[in-house]
Amino acid sequence: MGKTVDLPSVYDPGQVEGKWYEYWRAKNYFAPDQDRDAEPFSIVMPPPNVTGSLHLGHALDVTIQDALVRWRRMQGFKTLWLPGTDHAGIATQARVEEALAAEGLSKYDLGREGFLDRIWEWKRLYGNRITSQLSLMGSSCDWNRERFTMDEGCSRAVREVFVNLYEKGLIYQGDYIINWCPRCHTAISDIEVEHEESDGKLWYLRYPVKDSDQFVIVATTRPETMLGDTGVAVHPQDERYRHLVGKEAVLPLVDRVIPIFADEYVDREFGTGAVKVTPAHDPNDFDMGWRHGLEQIVVIDNHGIMNDNAGSYLGLTREECRRRIVEDLEKQGYLIKVEEHRHAVGHCQRCQTIIEPLVSKQWFVKMKPLAEPAIKAVMDGDIRFVPERFTRIYINWMENIRDWCISRQLWWGHRIPVWYCQECGEVICSKTEPESCPSCQSSQLNQDEDVLDTWFSSALWPFSTLGWPDETRDLKEFYPTTVLVTGRDIIFFWVARMIFSGLEHTGNIPFHHVNIHGLILDSQGRKMSKSLGNGIDPIEVIEKYGADTLRFSLITGVTPGNDVRFHWDKVENTRNFANKIWNAARFVLMNLDGFTPVEIKDAEYQLADRWILSRLNRTINEVTVALERYDLGEAARLLYDFIWDEFCDWYIELAKPRLNSSKKRDRMVVQNLLHQVLMDMLRLLHPFMPFITEEIYQHLPGHGETIMIDAWPVENQAFVSREDEEKMEQLMQVIRGIRNIRAEFQIPPGTRIPVVIATRDEGFAHLLGGNQAYIQEMGRVKRLTVETSLDQKPAQAVSAVTALAEIYVLLEGVLDVDKEVARLEKDLKNAQAELDKALGKLGNQQFLARAPREVISKEEAKAEEARQKKEGIQQRLQILKS
Ligand SMILES: [Zn+2]
Ligand SMILES: [Zn+2]
């Protein structure tokens, strides 16, 4: 029996995925249906860098978002997932500068406008790579609403926010010590500095005390900065230096007179306990200098070159100057000693150049007043972190937050909307370009040269993308957004800033939930990086295995907030899972000839039917609850187990004889169940594996126009029966017991065996009696006898025990016992030989002394395996000989 189906025999994702994505897009299923009155569900996609290409982290990020969005869409929510990209200031500018350099040009050759034209051109050519890769993943985001942080609307939101904050006095310009990258030529934020331990030196320098023959020895890791020293500090409780506090020192080589003072900040354990203070070139010295009113003398310029204040060292690089200074100090007797010293050095995250702390004029956002409501919103539970432990990390950071330096010395980005009057010096902050100075009417106005930190515009993303500052329909319907899904690495960069920005500018939180996921590590638990060469390109995985497989294997094993390892095994296993589903679907389709949906009466269900319906309905409930908790890994696991184990391995197998039976009505019942369970299973799986589910769905009788807007299954409690599940589980235990024995004694699949089941449980005996067919089919049993009072164990029988029964498989007539004994005795000999060999090696002192640890472990494992094998064979022999 069975008919041919038009589902190909082997699943080929390449033939399927692109086709359905096109279809969904063409039908506009990704857009929210705004005419329908339904609860909104919205997510704004964390915008990937426009320079970027998809990595596994994004792939996990979009899989989680897409699964949530598809699930809620099927549930009938008015669903919006808004995509977009970030202009990524430094990253993009650097990329285009590299391209220019290859042509022998610099950005100065093109000038600011010409250079910006080049970047826009570059974006037009290459900026869509990341979005097309997101499409390959199956992302059901509304591309009609795609945004870019530098598009017209987002730029307007940026100016609006800047001017608002400026007018409230929350944006100011100030002298500040900042992290400066001499290569990228811009200020970079604390979180963009990577601190790496490196071997350095500690130089001990002797500073004479003025008008005395005394001196104070200071220790420093950066002797070249001494040219900018404006003080010497000691700890107030340090007895060694109490007599010097209030006196002055004379700076060697420079002869500048500088104060010696006490400050709590000084670490008495470091070096000599006395430190030189360079407010212009060290953030801690900057703070000390501010507390004690010290002068700031800048000696290193923006390029990392010594400037005018460095006197005869003018024009040297930092490194060269250090060499010369040390030489000169030594010659003049000021160098006491040099020690090796390991310490953390800040590097630019982007180019790895050593950071130079510099004092310069920068724009800042005053954080304290903005942080307060942002802390409160989380404390009050208006915004909930999943998992919850990130709440504490967030609050800690927000409570200790420093002002945010928002200016960057780049050309690519949102230019600061501030103009300076060349005539009268008036500073004009305006949303639109002013034509003349409001105080002197001059038209000689110059705009600030700097642009804003990239994160300034991403902080507005949840509302700028919905049309803010206009009161748009999208903003009304979808803001606050439902959930933000993001990696744990950008809580501070981004999440915190969206929260205070949303509260300050819209008066509302930007999202209700923040779902934090971990990083994807390699199989050994290491971070994936270019330098380790252990990165995996998701596009290659998609090309080889399909997007469904990539998505499902990324989700498998994920728990909120925790890192997850990437294993190829997992990918292969998921591919097998996809094939399993495909084959099951083919089987069902082949057996649906004559299928008509019918109303089934309770009495028509067999135990297996009631069981699969109960399991299905419980799975529906459990998967839904897991999704509500953002536990997608658990939802995927539940589905995997239900589909593979319960539906494919049990129910379909149990259904086979009934499909071939002549009882037409029972065949109809089974057809209806197979169809129904398969349909619901596909619906549940759709958010995780959108393509294969759509492909199969479209082949099933009674399908709608697309699975993606078909209704999410709802648990029908009437079908949930713990009792039926338990009964079925008891029968399955018996079948497993029989199958284990068959495997152990290598009984050929074609051989049907006699089985005696002994149980004292009357109910179970009854259950067995009523469902003999299952055991006979699934256990390949010839004759099944159920005994409620078995006095004597059957002869030549192998037994297995379940909670309620003893199972005896009678071997007489099934196996040629003599032959089997001979076979086992031979196996026993081999096992013994393997064991001896392994033990021999492990007893050899030379081997133990020389072999690497893993070789020894391998040998130990071999010995253990052989020992177990031997014991198993001995047990079986004993049974046969009894
Ligand atoms: Zn740099
Ligand atoms: Zn003016």
Side-chain angles (χ1 to χ4, degrees):
M1 212 181 266
K3 60 169 190 149
T4 52
V5 281
D6 50 354
L7 222 46
S9 59
V10 177
Y11 177 57
D12 178 4
Q15 295 293 317
V16 166
E17 299 190 342
K19 176 185 75 181
W20 289 120
Y21 199 77
E22 286 294 303
Y23 174 77
W24 295 330
R25 239 182 124 157
K27 292 275 195 171
N28 209 25
Y29 294 139
F30 300 161
D33 178 1
Q34 278 174 294
D35 297 330
R36 221 160 33 85
D37 185 29
E39 205 183 319
F41 178 86
S42 57
I43 297 184
V44 289
M45 177 191 290
N49 285 355
V50 68
T51 51
S53 56
L54 196 75
H55 59 65
L56 279 186
H58 294 128
L60 175 63
D61 215 56
V62 301
T63 300
I64 295 173
Q65 293 173 66
D66 193 48
L68 292 172
V69 164
R70 283 179 185 271
W71 161 58
R72 288 300 198 191
R73 192 185 285 120
M74 290 174 80
Q75 280 191 327
F77 283 72
K78 197 189 305 177
T79 308
L80 171 64
W81 183 21
L82 191 146
T85 47
D86 191 287
H87 67 280
I90 293 186
T92 311
Q93 177 158 335
R95 190 69 65 88
V96 177
E97 279 186 78
E98 272 165 36
L100 279 181
E103 300 167 28
L105 291 171
S106 84
K107 63 177 188 230
Y108 300 104
D109 295 321
L110 275 63
R112 189 162 185 146
E113 295 224 336
F115 182 65
L116 289 178
D117 287 346
R118 257 311 266 268
I119 301 188
W120 280 106
E121 174 71 18
W122 183 93
K123 183 203 174 257
R124 217 178 43 245
L125 287 174
Y126 305 107
N128 296 327
R129 183 167 58 157
I130 184 83
T131 47
S132 57
Q133 289 176 325
L134 293 172
S135 300
L136 287 181
M137 290 287 305
S139 309
S140 65
C141 43
D142 184 3
W143 293 110
N144 305 324
R145 285 176 165 83
E146 183 182 353
R147 298 301 297 270
F148 177 55
T149 47
M150 268 173 68
D151 66 22
E152 186 50 44
C154 289
S155 302
R156 206 178 126 221
V158 164
R159 288 193 302 272
E160 183 83 18
V161 163
F162 188 97
V163 173
N164 286 348
L165 291 174
Y166 183 88
E167 284 170 357
K168 287 180 194 157
L170 292 175
I171 280 188
Y172 65 92
Q173 203 176 20
D175 267 336
Y176 207 71
I177 189 132
I178 42 129
N179 307 297
W180 180 264
C181 175
R183 203 220 60 93
C184 297
H185 226 242
T186 184
I188 62 176
S189 68
D190 288 346
I191 32 189
E192 289 166 310
V193 177
E194 282 178 2
H195 293 277
E196 284 168 31
E197 282 286 316
S198 66
D199 289 320
K201 289 190 166 55
L202 196 56
W203 285 269
Y204 288 78
L205 312 180
R206 192 168 69 128
Y207 286 9
V209 176
K210 195 187 168 202
D211 301 328
S212 78
D213 50 4
Q214 292 178 307
F215 53 84
V216 55
I217 298 171
V218 296
T220 177
T221 57
R222 301 192 59 197
E224 70 279 11
T225 62
M226 67 155 302
L227 299 171
D229 282 1
T230 52
V232 169
V234 297
H235 194 274
Q237 263 89 55
D238 195 336
E239 295 300 332
R240 293 172 294 179
Y241 300 112
R242 186 157 283 180
H243 64 289
L244 292 179
V245 173
K247 296 210 160 108
E248 289 170 318
V250 182
L251 193 61
L253 308 179
V254 183
D255 287 337
R256 181 158 59 237
V257 176
I258 57 178
I260 302 172
F261 61 92
D263 191 289
E264 297 276 351
Y265 167 78
V266 177
D267 175 7
R268 277 177 278 189
E269 307 299 320
F270 177 79
T272 56
V275 293
K276 61 195 246 354
V277 182
T278 325
H281 294 287
D282 179 283
N284 297 314
D285 290 6
F286 180 86
D287 291 345
M288 269 201 279
W290 182 80
R291 285 196 289 275
H292 298 273
L294 303 184
E295 199 185 344
Q296 295 163 4
I297 299 179
V298 175
V299 294
I300 303 170
D301 74 8
N302 291 353
H303 301 269
I305 303 294
M306 307 310 291
N307 69 7
D308 286 342
N309 292 330
S312 61
Y313 304 95
L314 170 72
L316 300 180
T317 64
R318 292 178 285 181
E319 297 76 15
E320 178 63 14
C321 179
R322 174 179 298 183
R323 214 178 48 73
R324 288 266 304 275
I325 291 258
V326 169
E327 222 173 74
D328 292 347
L329 286 170
E330 185 166 21
K331 258 188 243 157
Q332 297 181 33
Y334 294 115
L335 181 68
I336 304 290
K337 62 173 176 175
V338 188
E339 276 176 0
E340 296 300 321
H341 180 65
R342 225 178 136 66
H343 63 133
V345 176
H347 290 74
C348 170
Q349 195 185 52
R350 178 103 8 230
C351 74
Q352 300 305 316
T353 301
I354 294 180
I355 290 307
E356 184 60 51
L358 267 191
V359 171
S360 64
K361 275 244 182 304
Q362 301 290 339
W363 288 97
F364 291 88
V365 174
K366 208 177 269 174
M367 281 310 307
K368 274 277 172 271
L370 294 171
E372 273 164 30
I375 292 170
K376 190 171 179 307
V378 172
M379 293 271 231
D380 291 353
D382 297 339
I383 298 174
R384 200 163 60 79
F385 280 85
V386 181
E388 223 246 298
R389 65 173 187 275
F390 288 98
T391 310
R392 195 173 34 82
I393 298 173
Y394 165 85
I395 288 181
N396 240 331
W397 192 72
M398 286 300 256
E399 280 175 344
N400 297 299
I401 198 164
R402 294 174 72 162
D403 285 353
W404 176 17
C405 175
I406 51 170
S407 41
R408 295 290 183 270
Q409 289 64 48
L410 297 171
W411 286 356
W412 177 241
H414 299 282
R415 196 156 170 186
I416 289 176
V418 168
W419 287 261
Y420 305 99
C421 174
Q422 296 307 98
E423 298 288 327
C424 73
E426 178 80 5
V427 177
I428 307 142
C429 177
S430 163
K431 289 173 205 171
T432 52
E433 181 160 4
E435 283 176 11
S436 59
C437 169
S439 86
C440 79
Q441 275 70 50
S442 162
S443 57
Q444 296 290 310
L445 303 176
N446 286 351
Q447 189 172 2
D448 196 294
E449 293 292 323
D450 289 354
V451 299
L452 290 163
D453 181 6
T454 298
W455 297 100
F456 193 89
S457 50
S458 6
L460 319 180
W461 192 243
F463 49 95
S464 64
T465 51
L466 294 171
W468 187 92
D470 293 334
E471 287 252 342
T472 61
R473 184 174 176 187
D474 275 3
L475 194 68
K476 270 195 218 113
E477 288 186 1
F478 297 114
Y479 188 86
T481 62
T482 313
V483 56
L484 177 83
V485 177
T486 190
R488 64 171 167 79
D489 46 342
I490 51 176
I491 298 182
F492 306 141
F493 275 115
W494 194 42
V495 179
R497 287 168 182 168
M498 279 190 285
I499 295 177
F500 70 70
S501 300
L503 287 166
E504 176 68 17
H505 305 296
T506 71
N508 213 334
I509 50 171
F511 28 71
H512 296 283
H513 298 159
V514 183
N515 177 24
I516 307 271
H517 59 76
L519 307 176
I520 300 198
L521 308 174
D522 73 3
S523 58
Q524 296 171 48
R526 299 173 304 177
K527 240 175 132 165
M528 291 190 180
S529 74
K530 273 208 186 91
S531 55
L532 284 172
N534 60 349
I536 283 161
D537 179 2
I539 300 303
E540 276 174 36
V541 183
I542 291 176
E543 278 164 4
K544 196 161 168 217
Y545 295 92
D548 280 341
T549 291
L550 174 63
R551 292 166 62 115
F552 199 85
S553 47
L554 285 174
I555 287 289
T556 303
V558 161
T559 48
N562 296 323
D563 293 345
V564 61
R565 292 182 186 196
F566 182 88
H567 290 283
W568 281 107
D569 288 358
K570 222 151 69 174
V571 178
E572 302 262 340
N573 197 33
T574 307
R575 193 253 323 266
N576 298 344
F577 179 53
N579 287 339
K580 185 95 179 171
I581 296 165
W582 188 257
N583 292 335
R586 272 176 53 82
F587 173 82
V588 172
L589 279 167
M590 266 189 267
N591 286 284
L592 283 187
D593 55 316
F595 164 80
T596 34
V598 291
E599 189 95 5
I600 302 166
K601 293 190 206 68
D602 283 352
E604 293 179 295
Y605 288 124
Q606 290 196 3
L607 174 62
D609 304 335
R610 292 196 304 272
W611 167 75
I612 197 71
L613 284 174
S614 179
R615 290 296 309 128
L616 171 68
N617 281 284
R618 261 201 319 129
T619 304
I620 291 169
N621 176 47
E622 286 167 4
V623 167
T624 309
V625 168
L627 286 170
E628 281 163 0
R629 286 199 314 260
Y630 298 105
D631 195 348
L632 279 77
E634 175 63 4
R637 188 193 66 75
L638 288 161
L639 282 170
Y640 181 93
D641 290 350
F642 174 75
I643 293 169
W644 187 300
D645 198 41
E646 297 178 319
F647 182 65
C648 296
D649 282 354
W650 286 98
Y651 189 72
I652 287 186
E653 292 305 315
L654 287 163
K656 277 179 182 170
R658 295 165 67 193
L659 287 167
N660 294 326
S661 96
S662 53
K663 289 182 207 152
K664 268 185 83 179
R665 179 67 193 178
D666 189 47
R667 182 159 186 270
M668 191 87 86
V669 169
V670 174
Q671 281 182 329
N672 269 269
L673 275 167
L674 285 171
H675 180 265
Q676 185 199 337
V677 178
L678 178 59
M679 264 292 190
D680 277 349
M681 185 187 105
L682 292 173
R683 292 182 183 113
L684 293 173
L685 191 61
H686 177 72
F688 303 94
M689 300 178 100
F691 296 111
I692 191 173
T693 50
E694 180 80 288
E695 177 71 12
I696 297 170
Y697 173 88
Q698 296 282 350
H699 281 86
L700 283 173
H703 66 81
E705 64 178 79
T706 172
I707 192 170
M708 67 171 283
I709 54 169
D710 204 336
W712 182 254
V714 178
E715 180 198 21
N716 183 345
Q717 290 237 339
F719 284 112
V720 176
S721 164
R722 296 273 173 181
E723 194 192 331
D724 287 333
E725 287 187 29
E726 200 175 314
K727 281 182 185 165
M728 192 65 203
E729 180 52 39
Q730 288 163 0
L731 294 177
M732 285 155 81
Q733 279 183 15
V734 169
I735 294 164
R736 283 191 204 105
I738 296 170
R739 285 175 167 179
N740 286 345
I741 294 170
R742 296 190 68 109
E744 258 178 55
F745 286 88
Q746 300 186 3
I747 299 170
T751 309
R752 289 196 167 251
I753 50 175
V755 170
V756 175
I757 300 176
T759 178
R760 268 180 248 288
D761 186 316
E762 291 284 341
F764 188 50
H766 186 72
L767 180 69
L768 286 165
N771 295 282
Q772 289 215 10
Y774 296 163
I775 295 174
Q776 277 173 328
E777 272 311 308
M778 305 292 282
R780 317 282 307 149
V781 172
K782 182 161 57 184
R783 202 174 59 245
L784 179 66
T785 321
V786 179
E787 298 275 2
T788 44
S789 52
L790 189 71
D791 304 329
Q792 207 185 348
K793 195 180 144 204
Q796 281 207 351
V798 199
S799 67
V801 179
T802 75
L804 294 172
E806 270 168 57
I807 305 158
Y808 297 97
V809 172
L810 312 182
L811 295 177
E812 197 182 356
V814 169
L815 281 184
D816 181 335
V817 175
D818 292 341
K819 225 168 108 189
E820 183 64 10
V821 167
R823 183 181 72 83
L824 287 175
E825 276 174 344
K826 201 170 133 207
D827 285 355
L828 184 64
K829 243 189 216 158
N830 290 339
Q832 185 64 52
E834 275 167 40
L835 181 60
D836 291 345
K837 196 174 151 200
L839 289 178
K841 275 195 188 168
L842 291 170
N844 180 335
Q845 290 307 317
Q846 262 186 342
F847 170 77
L848 291 179
R850 280 192 204 152
R853 186 60 236 165
E854 62 262 29
V855 174
I856 297 175
S857 313
K858 226 173 165 180
E859 215 50 53
E860 284 168 347
K862 267 193 211 164
E864 183 51 32
E865 199 185 317
R867 193 176 290 126
Q868 281 179 12
K869 203 150 116 194
K870 186 183 140 191
E871 278 169 17
I873 297 168
Q874 279 171 332
Q875 275 171 14
R876 269 170 270 159
L877 274 171
Q878 212 179 349
I879 293 164
L880 288 175
K881 287 176 175 169
S882 69

